[in-house]
Amino acid sequence: MEPVTVYSLADVVVPHEPVHPDEVVAGAPTTGAVTVTTLDGLGVEAGIWEMSAGAVRDVEAEEAFLVLSGRATIATGGETYPVGPGDLVRLAEGTATVWTVTEPLRKLYVTGV
């Protein structure tokens, strides 16, 4: 492995697929994810995840993410959390959420593999 590797996140292309109908709450959202790198020995993966406008339900993995662009709200347990560019968010594994994306969302995620 190289001692320093630079990833141009702006150049990462993320192919999208329609969200499974059982998970759609509103609209016709699409999502996609691309692994950018892993930290060997630590069991950590970093990548880019995107979602188009719409709303979906999900059960979360243990994850931290940085919103790179777009806007959304994440609802869980009667609370709603707005997120946008520059926000760092931590999700606890097993949390049931509803994501409502109002501007196509692009995030850098870090999670276990």
Side-chain angles (χ1 to χ4, degrees):
M1 175 167 181
E2 297 297 319
V4 176
T5 305
V6 177
Y7 302 96
S8 177
L9 298 181
D11 295 335
V12 175
V13 175
V14 179
H16 281 225
E17 295 184 2
V19 173
H20 190 280
D22 292 345
E23 298 171 347
V24 174
V25 174
T30 61
T31 62
V34 172
T35 300
V36 175
T37 191
T38 58
L39 302 178
D40 296 335
L42 296 179
V44 175
E45 173 182 292
I48 300 293
W49 180 87
E50 295 181 346
M51 181 176 156
S52 66
V56 300
R57 65 179 59 81
D58 195 13
V59 176
E60 302 301 334
E62 190 77 19
E63 175 184 331
F65 68 85
L66 175 66
V67 178
L68 300 174
S69 62
R71 297 206 176 274
T73 58
I74 304 167
T76 185
E79 298 288 329
T80 302
Y81 304 90
V83 297
D87 288 338
L88 178 63
V89 180
R90 184 182 175 279
L91 299 170
E93 183 175 9
T95 302
T97 57
V98 174
W99 290 68
T100 302
V101 173
T102 54
E103 296 175 19
L105 194 70
R106 182 177 174 98
K107 69 180 188 178
L108 168 66
Y109 70 84
V110 178
T111 191
V113 289

XYZ file of all heavy atoms in Angstrom:
820
model
N 0.829 -1.184 0.000
C 0.000 0.000 0.000
C 0.869 1.241 0.000
O 1.918 1.280 0.624
C -0.911 -0.013 1.222
C -1.718 1.246 1.351
S -3.015 1.021 2.556
C -3.747 2.600 2.426
N 0.406 2.247 -0.708
C 1.125 3.520 -0.765
C 1.066 4.221 0.596
O 0.063 4.105 1.302
C 0.492 4.424 -1.827
C 0.580 3.877 -3.240
C 2.014 3.738 -3.727
O 2.845 4.642 -3.460
O 2.318 2.714 -4.353
N 2.088 4.996 0.968
C 2.065 5.683 2.260
C 0.991 6.791 2.326
O 0.510 7.113 3.394
C 3.459 6.253 2.414
C 4.040 6.247 1.045
C 3.340 5.172 0.271
N 0.641 7.360 1.188
C -0.408 8.377 1.123
C -1.242 8.114 -0.122
O -0.703 7.939 -1.209
C 0.176 9.813 1.043
C -0.933 10.838 0.871
C 1.020 10.128 2.268
N -2.549 8.063 0.048
C -3.460 7.909 -1.079
C -4.499 9.011 -0.991
O -5.097 9.219 0.064
C -4.172 6.542 -1.056
O -3.185 5.508 -0.993
C -5.029 6.352 -2.283
N -4.690 9.733 -2.087
C -5.670 10.819 -2.133
C -6.831 10.377 -3.015
O -6.622 9.905 -4.133
C -5.041 12.117 -2.691
C -6.085 13.217 -2.813
C -3.876 12.568 -1.804
N -8.041 10.515 -2.496
C -9.250 10.153 -3.234
C -10.016 11.423 -3.572
O -10.365 12.187 -2.667
C -10.145 9.227 -2.401
C -9.441 7.956 -1.985
C -8.835 7.850 -0.747
C -9.378 6.872 -2.849
C -8.191 6.676 -0.368
C -8.738 5.699 -2.477
C -8.143 5.614 -1.239
O -7.506 4.459 -0.868
N -10.249 11.659 -4.831
C -11.037 12.812 -5.267
C -12.514 12.416 -5.210
O -13.050 11.816 -6.141
C -10.646 13.229 -6.686
O -11.476 14.292 -7.100
N -13.160 12.737 -4.100
C -14.547 12.315 -3.901
C -15.491 12.936 -4.923
O -16.505 12.335 -5.273
C -15.000 12.637 -2.483
C -14.216 11.930 -1.380
C -14.779 12.301 -0.026
C -14.189 10.435 -1.581
N -15.154 14.113 -5.408
C -15.991 14.763 -6.421
C -16.027 13.951 -7.708
O -16.988 14.055 -8.480
C -15.499 16.175 -6.693
N -15.008 13.126 -7.938
C -14.928 12.333 -9.167
C -15.545 10.941 -9.039
O -15.617 10.209 -10.022
C -13.467 12.194 -9.606
C -12.845 13.521 -9.988
O -13.594 14.441 -10.377
O -11.605 13.645 -9.883
N -15.988 10.568 -7.835
C -16.572 9.248 -7.630
C -17.973 9.212 -8.231
O -18.841 9.994 -7.853
C -16.629 8.878 -6.134
C -17.354 7.555 -5.930
C -15.218 8.817 -5.548
N -18.170 8.323 -9.188
C -19.481 8.151 -9.823
C -20.223 7.049 -9.080
O -19.685 5.964 -8.867
C -19.325 7.790 -11.318
C -20.673 7.505 -11.944
C -18.591 8.900 -12.055
N -21.461 7.353 -8.696
C -22.264 6.401 -7.932
C -23.464 5.976 -8.774
O -24.389 6.758 -8.976
C -22.741 7.017 -6.605
C -23.588 6.023 -5.819
C -21.546 7.485 -5.778
N -23.469 4.743 -9.278
C -24.639 4.252 -10.018
C -25.829 4.085 -9.070
O -25.652 3.634 -7.937
C -24.202 2.902 -10.573
C -22.741 2.783 -10.313
C -22.393 3.763 -9.255
N -27.011 4.442 -9.534
C -28.229 4.350 -8.720
C -29.125 3.218 -9.197
O -29.119 2.858 -10.367
C -29.031 5.646 -8.834
C -28.510 6.758 -7.993
N -29.322 7.549 -7.236
C -27.254 7.234 -7.797
C -28.607 8.454 -6.608
N -27.348 8.279 -6.937
N -29.917 2.701 -8.261
C -30.969 1.732 -8.554
C -32.226 2.185 -7.828
O -32.143 2.840 -6.780
C -30.573 0.339 -8.061
C -29.388 -0.250 -8.781
C -29.094 -1.677 -8.325
O -29.834 -2.213 -7.471
O -28.118 -2.246 -8.824
N -33.398 1.828 -8.340
C -34.637 2.169 -7.625
C -34.658 1.499 -6.244
O -34.159 0.383 -6.078
C -35.745 1.591 -8.506
C -35.118 1.431 -9.859
C -33.664 1.152 -9.612
N -35.240 2.180 -5.282
C -35.407 1.612 -3.943
C -36.501 0.549 -4.007
O -37.498 0.713 -4.718
C -35.765 2.729 -2.942
C -36.106 2.154 -1.574
C -34.620 3.737 -2.841
N -36.329 -0.538 -3.259
C -37.337 -1.605 -3.224
C -38.673 -1.003 -2.790
O -38.727 -0.219 -1.828
C -36.911 -2.706 -2.260
C -37.752 -3.920 -2.348
N -38.979 -4.011 -1.736
C -37.564 -5.091 -3.002
C -39.515 -5.175 -1.984
N -38.666 -5.866 -2.760
N -39.759 -1.362 -3.463
C -41.086 -0.775 -3.158
C -41.504 -0.890 -1.697
O -42.197 -0.005 -1.185
C -42.037 -1.555 -4.065
C -41.182 -2.060 -5.176
C -39.821 -2.298 -4.583
N -41.075 -1.943 -0.996
C -41.431 -2.099 0.419
C -40.796 -1.028 1.306
O -41.251 -0.813 2.435
C -41.014 -3.475 0.940
C -41.811 -4.616 0.330
O -42.868 -4.349 -0.276
O -41.364 -5.772 0.464
N -39.739 -0.391 0.815
C -39.024 0.620 1.603
C -39.433 2.040 1.241
O -39.089 2.978 1.950
C -37.521 0.447 1.413
C -37.010 -0.906 1.902
C -35.574 -1.181 1.515
O -35.017 -0.448 0.667
O -34.996 -2.139 2.051
N -40.151 2.224 0.131
C -40.519 3.570 -0.330
C -41.682 4.094 0.503
O -42.693 3.431 0.677
C -40.892 3.558 -1.828
C -41.420 4.918 -2.263
C -39.680 3.164 -2.670
N -41.518 5.322 0.998
C -42.563 6.021 1.737
C -43.238 7.045 0.828
O -44.448 7.215 0.876
C -41.986 6.708 2.993
C -43.037 7.551 3.698
C -41.390 5.661 3.943
N -42.435 7.710 -0.030
C -42.974 8.716 -0.951
C -42.045 8.875 -2.148
O -40.826 8.715 -2.040
C -43.135 10.063 -0.247
N -42.636 9.205 -3.291
C -41.862 9.439 -4.505
C -41.366 8.149 -5.129
O -41.890 7.065 -4.867
N -40.336 8.287 -5.950
C -39.695 7.151 -6.615
C -38.183 7.269 -6.450
O -37.440 7.426 -7.418
C -40.080 7.122 -8.093
N -37.705 7.223 -5.201
C -36.286 7.462 -4.959
C -35.381 6.352 -5.488
O -35.796 5.202 -5.603
C -36.199 7.553 -3.430
C -37.359 6.768 -2.947
C -38.435 6.945 -3.975
N -34.148 6.749 -5.780
C -33.095 5.817 -6.148
C -31.937 6.022 -5.174
O -31.782 7.102 -4.590
C -32.599 6.060 -7.581
O -32.055 7.382 -7.676
C -33.725 5.885 -8.597
N -31.137 4.966 -4.993
C -29.954 5.065 -4.142
C -28.793 4.339 -4.798
O -28.985 3.513 -5.695
C -30.180 4.445 -2.741
O -30.461 3.057 -2.892
C -31.283 5.140 -1.982
N -27.611 4.640 -4.316
C -26.417 3.946 -4.768
C -25.281 4.173 -3.798
O -25.279 5.166 -3.056
N -24.337 3.255 -3.785
C -23.174 3.369 -2.906
C -21.949 2.802 -3.603
O -22.055 1.843 -4.367
C -23.423 2.640 -1.600
N -20.809 3.406 -3.304
C -19.524 2.948 -3.834
C -18.510 2.974 -2.697
O -18.354 4.002 -2.026
C -19.038 3.869 -4.977
C -17.626 3.515 -5.392
C -19.969 3.809 -6.162
N -17.853 1.852 -2.455
C -16.767 1.823 -1.480
C -15.571 2.555 -2.072
O -15.163 2.276 -3.202
C -16.380 0.375 -1.135
O -17.520 -0.291 -0.597
C -15.229 0.329 -0.140
N -15.007 3.474 -1.299
C -13.836 4.226 -1.757
C -12.557 3.587 -1.231
O -11.587 3.436 -1.960
C -13.929 5.709 -1.338
C -12.667 6.470 -1.704
C -15.158 6.366 -1.964
N -12.564 3.189 0.049
C -11.389 2.553 0.629
C -11.788 1.770 1.877
O -12.873 1.978 2.421
C -10.288 3.583 0.988
O -9.077 2.895 1.318
C -10.706 4.501 2.123
N -10.924 0.865 2.283
C -11.091 0.152 3.547
C -9.822 0.344 4.364
O -8.747 0.598 3.814
C -11.343 -1.344 3.332
O -10.249 -1.893 2.596
C -12.643 -1.586 2.576
N -9.983 0.240 5.689
C -8.826 0.296 6.576
C -8.557 -1.132 7.037
O -9.201 -1.632 7.966
C -9.086 1.223 7.759
C -9.453 2.666 7.393
C -9.732 3.477 8.652
C -8.360 3.310 6.567
N -7.634 -1.782 6.325
C -7.331 -3.180 6.608
C -6.911 -3.342 8.064
O -6.194 -2.532 8.612
C -6.222 -3.673 5.677
C -6.655 -3.661 4.222
O -7.865 -3.749 3.966
O -5.779 -3.543 3.343
N -7.400 -4.394 8.686
C -7.057 -4.665 10.070
C -7.992 -3.986 11.069
O -8.054 -4.384 12.218
N -8.684 -2.944 10.633
C -9.612 -2.248 11.533
C -11.066 -2.595 11.245
O -11.954 -2.251 12.012
C -9.432 -0.723 11.421
C -8.077 -0.162 11.846
C -8.047 1.344 11.652
C -7.781 -0.515 13.297
N -11.310 -3.233 10.108
C -12.678 -3.586 9.757
C -13.537 -2.377 9.444
O -14.719 -2.356 9.764
N -12.946 -1.368 8.816
C -13.650 -0.121 8.524
C -13.700 0.109 7.021
O -12.719 -0.127 6.309
C -12.952 1.079 9.212
C -13.585 2.402 8.818
C -12.983 0.911 10.723
N -14.863 0.575 6.563
C -15.074 0.903 5.159
C -15.514 2.362 5.064
O -16.312 2.826 5.874
C -16.167 0.006 4.596
C -16.607 0.337 3.189
C -17.734 -0.567 2.729
O -17.479 -1.774 2.537
O -18.863 -0.075 2.590
N -14.989 3.072 4.079
C -15.417 4.447 3.786
C -15.870 4.485 2.337
O -15.248 3.879 1.462
C -14.278 5.434 4.007
N -16.971 5.184 2.102
C -17.482 5.249 0.745
C -18.434 6.410 0.554
O -18.662 7.211 1.460
N -18.998 6.467 -0.639
C -19.970 7.501 -0.995
C -21.326 6.821 -1.168
O -21.429 5.787 -1.830
C -19.575 8.209 -2.312
C -18.209 8.880 -2.187
C -20.652 9.208 -2.734
C -18.165 10.047 -1.229
N -22.356 7.424 -0.584
C -23.735 6.958 -0.713
C -24.568 8.128 -1.195
O -24.346 9.271 -0.755
C -24.250 6.462 0.631
C -25.662 5.960 0.643
C -26.071 4.695 0.366
C -26.849 6.694 0.966
N -27.445 4.587 0.502
C -27.948 5.812 0.873
C -27.101 8.019 1.327
C -29.261 6.203 1.127
C -28.406 8.416 1.576
C -29.469 7.506 1.479
N -25.497 7.870 -2.092
C -26.369 8.907 -2.626
C -27.820 8.439 -2.607
O -28.105 7.241 -2.688
C -26.013 9.242 -4.075
C -24.660 9.860 -4.249
C -24.354 10.193 -5.705
O -25.073 9.706 -6.627
O -23.383 10.930 -5.932
N -28.716 9.428 -2.525
C -30.149 9.162 -2.659
C -30.786 10.333 -3.382
O -30.486 11.488 -3.095
C -30.797 8.968 -1.295
C -32.291 8.671 -1.380
S -32.986 8.332 0.241
C -34.693 8.772 -0.088
N -31.680 10.031 -4.316
C -32.434 11.072 -5.019
C -33.608 11.503 -4.137
O -33.866 10.918 -3.080
C -32.938 10.542 -6.370
O -33.887 9.519 -6.162
N -34.340 12.508 -4.580
C -35.477 13.020 -3.812
C -36.524 11.938 -3.609
O -36.775 11.117 -4.492
C -36.082 14.227 -4.511
N -37.127 11.952 -2.430
C -38.153 10.988 -2.067
C -37.994 10.611 -0.608
O -37.187 11.205 0.109
N -38.748 9.635 -0.163
C -38.678 9.198 1.233
C -38.638 7.672 1.292
O -39.369 6.998 0.568
C -39.875 9.726 2.014
N -37.772 7.159 2.181
C -37.615 5.713 2.357
C -37.495 5.376 3.833
O -37.062 6.208 4.635
C -36.378 5.153 1.613
C -36.457 5.395 0.124
C -35.097 5.732 2.178
N -37.858 4.144 4.168
C -37.632 3.652 5.524
C -36.417 2.728 5.491
O -36.138 2.084 4.470
C -38.869 2.961 6.090
C -39.295 1.708 5.394
C -40.516 1.037 6.020
N -41.702 1.852 6.068
C -42.559 2.058 5.059
N -42.329 1.494 3.902
N -43.614 2.800 5.196
N -35.701 2.683 6.628
C -34.484 1.884 6.699
C -34.260 1.460 8.148
O -34.792 2.082 9.069
C -33.289 2.718 6.201
C -32.058 1.894 5.894
O -32.159 0.648 5.815
O -30.983 2.480 5.734
N -33.456 0.421 8.331
C -32.925 0.057 9.636
C -31.420 0.205 9.505
O -30.791 -0.432 8.656
C -33.336 -1.372 10.042
C -32.679 -1.748 11.368
C -34.848 -1.486 10.136
N -30.851 1.048 10.357
C -29.473 1.496 10.163
C -28.419 0.507 10.644
O -28.646 -0.257 11.585
C -29.264 2.835 10.890
C -30.184 3.935 10.437
C -30.085 4.263 8.955
O -29.023 4.028 8.340
O -31.073 4.772 8.408
N -27.265 0.594 9.985
C -26.033 -0.047 10.445
C -25.309 0.966 11.333
O -25.627 2.163 11.319
C -25.151 -0.413 9.255
N -24.346 0.516 12.115
C -23.501 1.438 12.885
C -22.690 2.247 11.879
O -21.958 1.681 11.058
C -22.570 0.632 13.791
C -21.827 1.455 14.793
C -22.704 1.869 15.979
O -23.755 1.259 16.222
O -22.311 2.824 16.646
N -22.845 3.556 11.908
C -22.255 4.384 10.854
C -22.090 5.819 11.322
O -22.865 6.320 12.123
C -23.194 4.371 9.641
C -22.795 5.259 8.495
C -23.831 5.272 7.381
O -24.547 4.268 7.189
O -23.916 6.289 6.687
N -21.067 6.462 10.790
C -20.931 7.918 10.881
C -20.840 8.409 9.443
O -20.264 7.730 8.577
C -19.689 8.314 11.664
N -21.448 9.566 9.170
C -21.357 10.109 7.815
C -21.291 11.619 7.824
O -21.756 12.274 8.757
C -22.496 9.605 6.922
C -23.871 10.109 7.270
C -24.334 11.330 6.783
C -24.715 9.356 8.055
C -25.607 11.782 7.081
C -25.990 9.794 8.353
C -26.444 11.014 7.866
N -20.687 12.150 6.770
C -20.569 13.586 6.539
C -21.363 13.910 5.286
O -21.105 13.325 4.228
C -19.100 13.982 6.336
C -18.847 15.434 5.961
C -19.232 16.369 7.102
C -17.384 15.633 5.575
N -22.335 14.810 5.405
C -23.114 15.213 4.242
C -22.236 16.115 3.364
O -21.749 17.152 3.811
C -24.412 15.953 4.645
C -25.174 16.406 3.400
C -25.290 15.067 5.513
N -22.033 15.694 2.123
C -21.237 16.468 1.169
C -22.110 17.455 0.398
O -21.688 18.569 0.111
C -20.521 15.529 0.202
C -19.563 14.531 0.847
C -19.034 13.558 -0.193
C -18.424 15.250 1.552
N -23.337 17.024 0.043
C -24.262 17.909 -0.672
C -25.679 17.384 -0.488
O -25.890 16.220 -0.176
C -23.912 17.991 -2.159
O -24.017 16.721 -2.777
N -26.638 18.267 -0.699
C -28.039 17.903 -0.606
C -28.625 18.167 0.761
O -27.934 18.615 1.683
N -29.918 17.883 0.886
C -30.634 18.111 2.140
C -31.643 16.996 2.378
O -32.236 16.480 1.431
C -31.359 19.441 2.116
C -30.401 20.605 2.002
C -30.958 21.885 2.572
N -29.932 22.906 2.510
C -29.000 23.119 3.426
N -28.989 22.394 4.516
N -28.102 24.060 3.291
N -31.815 16.668 3.656
C -32.752 15.611 4.036
C -33.164 15.801 5.484
O -32.552 16.592 6.220
C -32.113 14.240 3.857
N -34.182 15.050 5.872
C -34.488 14.884 7.289
C -34.450 13.393 7.579
O -34.785 12.568 6.722
C -35.860 15.455 7.681
O -36.871 14.815 6.909
C -35.914 16.960 7.463
N -34.018 13.072 8.785
C -34.002 11.693 9.253
C -34.940 11.649 10.451
O -34.734 12.368 11.438
C -32.587 11.249 9.660
C -31.613 11.439 8.494
C -32.601 9.793 10.131
C -30.145 11.321 8.889
N -35.987 10.846 10.358
C -36.962 10.735 11.439
C -36.812 9.399 12.134
O -36.640 8.363 11.485
C -38.379 10.880 10.883
N -36.855 9.431 13.472
C -36.814 8.220 14.277
C -37.357 8.521 15.664
O -37.117 9.608 16.199
C -35.390 7.630 14.373
O -35.448 6.390 15.073
C -34.422 8.560 15.070
N -38.121 7.600 16.210
C -38.593 7.738 17.575
C -39.331 9.026 17.871
O -39.203 9.563 18.968
N -40.061 9.543 16.894
C -40.804 10.781 17.106
C -39.989 12.051 16.950
O -40.521 13.154 17.070
N -38.706 11.938 16.685
C -37.827 13.098 16.464
C -37.464 13.188 14.989
O -37.377 12.171 14.301
C -36.542 12.972 17.280
C -36.748 12.932 18.771
C -37.168 14.272 19.347
O -36.763 15.317 18.808
O -37.919 14.268 20.338
N -37.243 14.421 14.517
C -36.809 14.650 13.136
C -35.530 15.465 13.161
O -35.456 16.492 13.857
C -37.897 15.391 12.337
O -39.091 14.606 12.371
C -37.476 15.586 10.888
N -34.541 15.008 12.397
C -33.222 15.638 12.379
C -32.921 16.135 10.965
O -32.716 15.319 10.067
C -32.150 14.629 12.805
C -32.429 14.029 14.164
C -33.178 12.862 14.285
C -31.958 14.632 15.311
C -33.448 12.313 15.525
C -32.218 14.090 16.568
C -32.970 12.933 16.666
O -33.245 12.386 17.904
N -32.874 17.449 10.746
C -32.500 17.962 9.427
C -30.989 17.832 9.241
O -30.220 18.053 10.190
C -32.938 19.418 9.470
C -32.993 19.782 10.913
C -33.265 18.508 11.672
N -30.578 17.444 8.029
C -29.148 17.344 7.720
C -28.871 18.025 6.385
O -29.705 18.024 5.484
C -28.644 15.887 7.700
C -28.795 15.243 9.072
C -29.356 15.063 6.653
N -27.681 18.618 6.292
C -27.262 19.290 5.071
C -25.747 19.336 5.005
O -25.050 18.780 5.873
N -25.208 19.992 3.974
C -23.763 20.013 3.758
C -22.982 20.425 5.001
O -23.328 21.393 5.678
C -23.596 21.037 2.639
C -24.898 20.993 1.903
C -25.930 20.770 2.975
N -21.972 19.618 5.305
C -21.107 19.894 6.443
C -21.535 19.216 7.726
O -20.790 19.219 8.703
N -22.735 18.624 7.766
C -23.195 17.957 8.982
C -22.557 16.580 9.118
O -22.542 15.794 8.169
C -24.718 17.800 8.983
C -25.443 19.114 9.194
O -24.828 20.061 9.737
O -26.621 19.204 8.812
N -22.059 16.294 10.320
C -21.530 14.976 10.661
C -22.585 14.290 11.523
O -23.024 14.849 12.526
C -20.217 15.098 11.433
C -19.577 13.789 11.900
C -19.180 12.926 10.707
C -18.385 14.073 12.789
N -22.990 13.094 11.115
C -24.091 12.384 11.765
C -23.609 10.994 12.161
O -22.890 10.343 11.403
C -25.301 12.261 10.810
C -26.452 11.525 11.472
C -25.731 13.635 10.313
N -24.036 10.549 13.339
C -23.759 9.176 13.764
C -25.081 8.442 13.885
O -26.025 8.948 14.490
C -23.038 9.142 15.103
C -22.664 7.728 15.496
C -21.982 7.684 16.855
N -21.745 6.316 17.247
C -22.653 5.512 17.789
N -23.877 5.924 17.972
N -22.340 4.272 18.134
N -25.154 7.259 13.309
C -26.340 6.408 13.383
C -26.005 5.175 14.207
O -24.967 4.551 13.996
C -26.773 5.963 11.981
C -27.161 7.062 11.002
C -27.334 6.478 9.605
C -28.433 7.753 11.465
N -26.900 4.817 15.134
C -26.711 3.612 15.942
C -27.319 2.408 15.232
O -28.412 2.507 14.656
C -27.360 3.798 17.305
N -26.616 1.304 15.273
C -27.091 0.078 14.633
C -28.472 -0.304 15.148
O -28.756 -0.235 16.345
C -26.107 -1.065 14.892
C -26.494 -2.347 14.211
C -25.448 -3.436 14.373
O -24.492 -3.260 15.148
O -25.588 -4.471 13.707
N -29.351 -0.692 14.216
C -30.682 -1.144 14.566
C -31.731 -0.052 14.656
O -32.901 -0.342 14.880
N -31.334 1.208 14.479
C -32.284 2.315 14.555
C -33.188 2.312 13.330
O -32.701 2.326 12.191
C -31.552 3.672 14.643
O -30.702 3.660 15.795
C -32.533 4.825 14.733
N -34.500 2.305 13.555
C -35.473 2.396 12.459
C -35.637 3.871 12.102
O -35.913 4.695 12.980
C -36.805 1.803 12.880
N -35.433 4.197 10.812
C -35.479 5.590 10.364
C -36.365 5.738 9.137
O -36.634 4.773 8.427
C -34.068 6.095 9.988
O -33.532 5.233 8.971
C -33.133 6.121 11.185
N -36.775 6.984 8.904
C -37.375 7.380 7.632
C -36.571 8.571 7.135
O -36.445 9.587 7.820
C -38.872 7.757 7.768
C -39.393 8.302 6.438
C -39.692 6.549 8.202
N -35.984 8.407 5.963
C -35.208 9.461 5.305
C -36.112 10.163 4.297
O -36.667 9.515 3.413
C -34.039 8.854 4.539
C -32.950 8.279 5.394
C -33.023 7.180 6.195
C -31.628 8.783 5.507
N -31.814 6.955 6.797
C -30.939 7.926 6.392
C -30.961 9.858 4.955
C -29.614 8.131 6.734
C -29.630 10.056 5.280
C -28.969 9.195 6.171
N -36.216 11.485 4.420
C -36.936 12.286 3.439
C -35.920 13.227 2.801
O -35.421 14.151 3.449
C -38.081 13.086 4.092
O -38.966 12.160 4.737
C -38.849 13.873 3.040
N -35.582 12.944 1.552
C -34.574 13.726 0.831
C -35.287 14.758 -0.036
O -36.114 14.404 -0.874
C -33.678 12.805 -0.024
C -32.742 13.611 -0.904
C -32.901 11.847 0.871
N -34.960 16.044 0.208
C -35.574 17.139 -0.549
C -34.655 17.655 -1.647
O -35.132 18.230 -2.625
C -35.966 18.286 0.386
O -34.817 18.684 1.156
C -37.084 17.856 1.326
N -33.349 17.497 -1.475
C -32.337 17.812 -2.494
C -31.433 16.595 -2.571
O -30.978 16.121 -1.525
C -31.513 19.043 -2.106
C -32.291 20.332 -2.011
C -31.419 21.479 -1.510
O -30.174 21.390 -1.581
O -32.003 22.461 -1.029
N -31.161 16.060 -3.759
C -30.348 14.838 -3.865
C -29.166 14.856 -2.892
O -28.397 15.820 -2.848
C -29.898 14.835 -5.321
C -31.023 15.544 -6.037
C -31.454 16.633 -5.076
N -29.076 13.798 -2.111
C -28.118 13.718 -1.017
C -26.892 12.910 -1.421
O -27.014 11.862 -2.062
C -28.799 13.049 0.188
C -28.081 13.163 1.521
C -28.135 14.599 2.022
C -28.710 12.235 2.541
N -25.725 13.403 -1.031
C -24.454 12.705 -1.247
C -23.698 12.777 0.069
O -23.506 13.868 0.609
C -23.665 13.359 -2.376
C -22.340 12.664 -2.720
C -21.692 13.364 -3.915
N -20.390 12.882 -4.244
C -20.105 11.990 -5.187
N -21.085 11.458 -5.901
N -18.867 11.624 -5.435
N -23.316 11.598 0.577
C -22.611 11.585 1.856
C -21.378 10.689 1.784
O -21.336 9.737 1.005
C -23.547 11.134 2.974
C -23.942 9.668 2.898
C -24.880 9.269 4.028
C -25.108 7.764 4.039
N -25.973 7.327 5.126
N -20.399 11.013 2.596
C -19.229 10.174 2.820
C -19.525 9.382 4.085
O -19.748 9.982 5.136
C -17.979 11.017 3.004
C -16.739 10.285 3.520
C -16.248 9.283 2.489
C -15.650 11.262 3.916
N -19.590 8.060 3.987
C -19.894 7.244 5.165
C -18.680 6.459 5.623
O -17.779 6.155 4.847
C -21.069 6.287 4.865
C -20.720 5.185 3.889
C -20.099 4.021 4.311
C -20.989 5.320 2.539
C -19.757 3.005 3.425
C -20.657 4.316 1.625
C -20.056 3.164 2.088
O -19.716 2.178 1.204
N -18.676 6.144 6.917
C -17.666 5.279 7.519
C -18.429 4.273 8.353
O -19.253 4.650 9.201
C -16.685 6.075 8.390
C -15.676 5.137 9.043
C -15.989 7.155 7.572
N -18.177 2.976 8.104
C -18.895 1.926 8.813
C -18.000 0.699 8.947
O -16.961 0.604 8.288
C -20.210 1.563 8.064
O -21.005 0.730 8.899
C -19.953 0.893 6.747
N -18.424 -0.234 9.779
C -17.711 -1.502 9.911
C -18.065 -2.436 8.774
O -19.124 -2.301 8.157
N -17.169 -3.345 8.475
C -17.435 -4.334 7.418
C -17.479 -5.728 7.998
O -17.004 -5.984 9.065
C -16.397 -4.276 6.279
C -16.583 -3.024 5.478
C -14.985 -4.373 6.808
